[in-house]
Amino acid sequence: MQEENILSDLRNKSYTEEDIVKMLQKQILIVPQLIVEDTGKSQLVRSNVSDIRKVLTQAGYDTEVVLDKGLERRALIRKSADYILPVILFATSIPVSVATGYIANWLFTRFAQEQNINIKYEHARFGPDGKIVDYVKLEGESRHVAEILKSGKFEVTNSTTSSKSSKRDS
């Protein structure tokens, strides 16, 4: 998902230009990692997508899940120690550390009783023109990833220069 611009990804998912303009006005876009079935008529979406959307919507964010249009959606149930979260795209107009705090709280609650769960997490910030401004990718034990998200101290990669810097509040 580390693209310079999210517009091509939205066009590949069969969104019209009008749809894309509306999406770029959202505060948060959630892009699930999709698995399209052999029939090509349905997409499997991990069940955590709706959980994360619910958490962020209840926190007051204008959130949209970006799926391939025209494909039926079905839930994919996790059966491994890896828990892959959807890619989350934040508008540059919102403070990312506040939103990641809500995600961290959800992770703490969701995995409080489970051990050895490996979390894969990615987020990026996008401007009104759809350009990706910076990018974060985390992977590790659930408690560790949640602590990093809660603190807001994560390595941010500037997608245009590929340099890394530590930021408190994006």
Side-chain angles (χ1 to χ4, degrees), residues 20-126:
I20 292 170
V21 168
K22 286 179 185 174
M23 282 202 179
L24 291 178
Q25 294 171 358
K26 299 285 185 181
Q27 292 177 309
I28 299 174
L29 299 176
I30 300 173
V31 185
Q33 296 175 343
L34 300 176
I35 301 164
V36 179
E37 290 187 314
D38 292 338
T39 63
K41 294 181 180 177
S42 64
Q43 55 194 336
L44 300 176
V45 180
R46 289 180 171 83
S47 58
N48 59 32
V49 171
S50 60
D51 294 340
I52 291 173
R53 181 173 191 220
K54 182 178 178 182
V55 165
L56 293 171
T57 301
Q58 287 177 342
Y61 292 103
D62 186 12
T63 306
E64 178 81 27
V65 176
V66 179
L67 297 169
D68 284 330
K69 287 183 88 172
L71 293 180
E72 177 187 334
R73 182 172 58 176
R74 296 184 15 201
L76 176 67
I77 307 301
R78 177 182 71 88
K79 293 192 178 194
S80 73
D82 284 344
Y83 202 80
I84 302 170
L85 298 177
V87 176
I88 301 174
L89 301 173
F90 297 103
T92 54
S93 61
I94 67 167
V96 172
S97 63
V98 175
T100 59
Y102 288 109
I103 296 168
N105 289 341
W106 174 77
L107 283 172
F108 280 127
T109 303
R110 171 68 180 82
F111 296 107
Q113 302 303 317
E114 296 186 51
Q115 302 261 331
N116 301 321
I117 300 296
N118 188 51
I119 301 291
K120 295 179 181 182
Y121 170 87
E122 296 176 70
H123 82 237
R125 289 187 319 130
F126 67 93

